[in-house]
Amino acid sequence: VLDETHRADLRSWVASANTPTTDFPIQNLPLGVFRGGGSETPRAGAAIGDQVVVLEALVRLGLVEGAARDAALLCAGGTLNALMAAGPDARRALRGGLVDLLRADTAVGARARAASAHILVDARNVEMLVPASVGDYTDFYASIHHATNVGSMFRPDNPLLPNYKYVPIGYHGRASSIVASGSHVVRPSGQSKNDADAEPTFGPSRRLDYELEVGAFIGSGNRLGHSIPLADAEERMFGLCLVNDWSARDLQSWEYQPLGPFLAKNFATTVSPWVVTMDALAPFRAPAFTRANGDPRPLAYLASPSNESAGGIDIQLEVWIRSERMRRESVRAVRLSRVRFTEMYWTLAQLVTHHASNGCNLTAGDLIASGTVSGPTRDSRGCLLELAWRGTEPVTLPTGEQRRFLEDGDEVIFRGFCEREGFARIGFGECRGTVVGPGDTTAITS
Amino acid sequence: VLDETHRADLRSWVASANTPTTDFPIQNLPLGVFRGGGSETPRAGAAIGDQVVVLEALVRLGLVEGAARDAALLCAGGTLNALMAAGPDARRALRGGLVDLLRADTAVGARARAASAHILVDARNVEMLVPASVGDYTDFYASIHHATNVGSMFRPDNPLLPNYKYVPIGYHGRASSIVASGSHVVRPSGQSKNDADAEPTFGPSRRLDYELEVGAFIGSGNRLGHSIPLADAEERMFGLCLVNDWSARDLQSWEYQPLGPFLAKNFATTVSPWVVTMDALAPFRAPAFTRANGDPRPLAYLASPSNESAGGIDIQLEVWIRSERMRRESVRAVRLSRVRFTEMYWTLAQLVTHHASNGCNLTAGDLIASGTVSGPTRDSRGCLLELAWRGTEPVTLPTGEQRRFLEDGDEVIFRGFCEREGFARIGFGECRGTVVGPGDTTAITS
């Protein structure tokens, strides 16, 4: 639902929020958890321009009241879980309160501006943390382009399995190894086996990859044994982030049968730290994927007219890379691909409803990732496995270096944003991670 | 290591702990969390005979001191996580303190006996809870008999996949739906598809199954990016429980490719409430599985002489069932199968080391389940899929009822115990759950 908070002409007294290129205008106000800026205790905040609004300071100084104050108080524990659990009304009340006090043209805004030294910290001076305590992390496989590309490498005659167009395929990932943007990722070791060899060997992965994904944080969940009808699924999502589901392809191809990926995935998953609320994304809703002629209709529990007309979200996603040599030679990061999130075969609401359709209980703070977002063209492929086509079409960097898979020192940067005529640009910030060598465990920040 | 606490001739002043058939003699002292017995707040306790020793009462009355007292204080939060995280020394100190105060022949034992009304509650009067907050739940597939049986149903020519004897196959399960013994299990709904049908349908599972497993709770874990050498893996395990990894076989066979089981498993996992510590199990250590001639040796990171000689644990496991009609007709539960845990191809230590071999961080309270425990004979098969051989060899109950898969009203009971000449019997208690119909969500106790 669009309301006053989505008006494109809103201006903030925080000047950096009014530049057209910012990810964080007053219409966005994504929520996150940070350390620093005067306190080593994790605190919750909202991004505005190049600043962070400290929620506990707003409460302390009486700059929020009523339901907005109650919602801000829910973040006192240093995670967003309690706010997520409180449901969409609490989240919207906080959004309304924040917009009011950050506006350039309100009385409370004038008071907030006068107190700005006490409520704002410079985003450059804080360390962003994983915004929620993630109880369970689920990864889906919702891009038909990705599933078809990967399937065709391993099963040329039968790229897409018979269940794909009926079942939103997903599996459980590892919650403990979810790390915040900026954390280094240690190259994992594991078993792999070449077709030519009789036996597998154990050693550092030689086929390390990124996966460009979008993640949804669950807000109010469901009780065990109860499901979530598709009509309710949108309200159960709190907000979205970018996810890099790092993958070791050589480990994966040897281990994944018959129970799916395990050590190939669970060594690290990076999330962007700012959770863009479903409210901020309201202007960018789009139709669900247009199924091809002959594709089956979704089963009844996964079908609704409103999901079909507006279940999608038009997020533009980008993958950038910067190698160690590029950093050394002061060469800027280069974009590897870009893709729209509307390319996904299943909507996020369908993923949520499917997940709970057997009575599985979803809990506030659970992270549900989309699976690799790939489009139909080469430059819209969301992982190196696809982009370099299993190593057969290497990518060339500006330095002349070639990439089949990731090398130590490579920094991978995801960006995401929504743009639509008549609305402010809503950005996700960045999801960054640098690969370090297998012994290099000193640099880990998790 | 065997010490004074393992002596078979120890006697407790709690009379029920001295009967030869009890699961909980003074040599066992498994730990758990309960509600009731005078307080609705979850509290930690140890099982002794038919009683529960309340840890906070021991602290309050000064019946534990030093490291044992410190360890008991770690359980004040109503989960065992902090004690688990503190490592084996804390656990052993608590064990030592508990043995002293429960012995019939010590001074502190006499004091404890005098205070028994304040430190014991009758186990029948408490509700046992899940003993730890499980951050991540991992399920393995470590029985070669189970893997071969299931594989031969789906791939008669090629029952065991080429990776099986090299990789301890595992996947991530769902932590949120872990429930304590006694919780009802709602029959899940989901997609399934018969070979004869063109399209799948959505509805209640018709192939609901149990899976007999052993679970290990992680104690002190490892940091992200660091591994756990096999020599250290035993010390990272806190203790064991019984696990029923309920499975919907029809959902599983339709959804599981290519990313593994998901909704077929995550609707419920039942754990027995008493965690039997690795210390209590010390007398029952056994050689690892004897690999067949021609089987490969484990890769170096999964091999050690001590694991080979004593990595196994000789637990006897049993599956019992009681249908609704059996209850109505007062027919006792009947045993479906029994199997020894020494039948597992991989030891628990190998599972832990493999899990962390890529740097995946394990955390105190994580649950690592073995996978279905099946032996080589029909009466040692650990799930109905195997026991009734995909429905082709139905099991007949004493009432004449037949079972291909579980019916509503069926109660499944797992039991486990260790017996060895010269040592007290160490039991696990029970892991129980009753299947209820798809709409019957009122009875859920989670």
Side-chain angles (χ1 to χ4, degrees), chain B residues 24-93:
Chain B
F24 306 130
I26 190 170
Q27 294 85 354
N28 191 350
L29 301 175
L31 299 166
V33 173
F34 65 95
R35 187 156 46 199
S39 166
E40 283 311 295
T41 306
R43 293 184 293 172
I48 178 78
D50 57 11
Q51 303 290 308
V52 178
V53 191
V54 184
L55 298 192
E56 56 95 359
L58 301 180
V59 173
R60 192 159 25 84
L61 298 175
L63 289 165
V64 278
E65 53 188 21
R69 181 175 183 278
D70 294 345
L73 280 170
L74 290 174
C75 304
T79 74
L80 299 181
N81 292 67
L83 177 63
M84 289 169 167
D89 289 347
R91 185 183 79 215
R92 287 180 194 132

Side-chain angles (χ1 to χ4, degrees), chain B residues 402-413:
Chain B
Q402 289 204 321
R403 285 295 177 272
R404 289 173 168 82
F405 292 96
L406 294 172
E407 303 286 340
D408 292 349
D410 284 353
E411 182 174 32
V412 178
I413 306 134

Side-chain angles (χ1 to χ4, degrees), chain B residues 24 81-82 90 164 197 226 234 255 284 295-296 315 374 380 393:
Chain B
F24 306 130
N81 292 67
Y164 191 85
D197 296 336
H226 294 253
E234 290 280 348
E255 77 171 357
F284 308 98
D295 273 7
I315 310 171
S374 289
S380 63
E393 302 173 16

Side-chain angles (χ1 to χ4, degrees), chain B residues 85-350:
Chain B
D89 289 347
R91 185 183 79 215
R92 287 180 194 132
L94 180 59
R95 174 180 173 85
L98 288 172
V99 167
D100 280 351
L101 71 89
L102 291 167
R103 278 175 69 162
D105 58 355
T106 57
V108 66
R111 283 173 53 217
R113 180 176 203 164
S116 62
H118 305 289
I119 63 174
L120 295 184
V121 294
D122 191 313
R124 286 167 303 189
N125 296 338
V126 301
E127 176 197 359
M128 297 304 301
L129 307 175
V130 178
S133 170
V134 178
D136 280 289
Y137 162 45
T138 303
D139 195 22
F140 280 90
Y141 194 58
S143 161
I144 194 168
H145 305 296
H146 173 69
T148 305
N149 283 340
V150 173
S152 70
M153 294 177 200
F154 297 93
R155 297 175 303 272
D157 302 336
N158 183 26
L160 207 61
L161 291 166
N163 57 9
Y164 191 85
K165 291 178 179 174
Y166 296 96
V167 182
I169 297 292
Y171 67 101
H172 292 116
R174 179 85 191 173
S176 71
S177 53
I178 294 175
V179 297
S181 179
S183 302
H184 286 190
V185 172
V186 178
R187 179 178 296 273
S189 289
Q191 290 191 31
S192 60
K193 182 179 166 301
N194 294 322
D195 289 346
D197 296 336
E199 299 219 313
T201 55
F202 182 89
S205 169
R206 286 160 301 179
R207 298 192 159 203
L208 186 59
D209 201 356
Y210 59 82
E211 287 196 335
L212 170 67
E213 307 198 10
V214 170
F217 282 100
I218 293 296
S220 49
N222 60 308
R223 286 176 51 219
L224 186 63
H226 294 253
S227 58
I228 300 177
L230 189 59
D232 296 348
E234 290 280 348
E235 292 281 277
R236 306 303 176 99
M237 288 186 274
F238 179 85
L240 309 188
C241 67
L242 308 176
V243 176
N244 187 341
D245 193 41
W246 306 88
S247 295
R249 302 300 184 187
D250 42 357
L251 278 57
Q252 187 173 351
S253 61
W254 173 235
E255 77 171 357
Y256 89 104
Q257 284 186 313
L259 299 182
F262 180 48
L263 299 190
K265 301 274 196 176
N266 66 10
F267 56 92
T269 302
T270 307
V271 295
S272 62
W274 290 112
V275 185
V276 178
T277 64
M278 298 311 288
D279 312 307
L281 295 166
F284 308 98
R285 302 310 299 250
F289 189 80
T290 306
R291 295 188 164 213
N293 281 336
D295 273 7
R297 308 239 345 123
L299 296 191
Y301 77 106
L302 294 175
S304 82
S306 67
N307 183 68
E308 204 161 314
S309 64
I313 311 176
D314 187 12
I315 310 171
Q316 302 188 52
L317 300 163
E318 299 181 340
V319 178
W320 297 67
I321 194 170
R322 198 179 191 201
S323 70
E324 192 169 331
R325 183 166 153 204
M326 289 167 73
R327 281 198 299 283
R328 221 166 38 230
E329 298 180 2
S330 298
V331 178
R332 290 186 184 184
V334 63
R335 190 173 63 206
L336 290 181
S337 63
R338 53 177 160 176
V339 59
R340 296 184 104 102
F341 192 52
T342 46
E343 291 290 353
M344 305 308 274
Y345 197 79
W346 300 101
T347 67
L348 290 171
Q350 287 172 319

Side-chain angles (χ1 to χ4, degrees), chain A residues 150-173:
Chain A
V150 173
S152 71
M153 294 177 200
F154 297 93
R155 297 175 304 272
D157 302 337
N158 183 26
L160 206 61
L161 291 167
N163 57 11
Y164 190 85
K165 292 178 179 175
Y166 296 96
V167 182
I169 296 290
Y171 67 101
H172 292 116

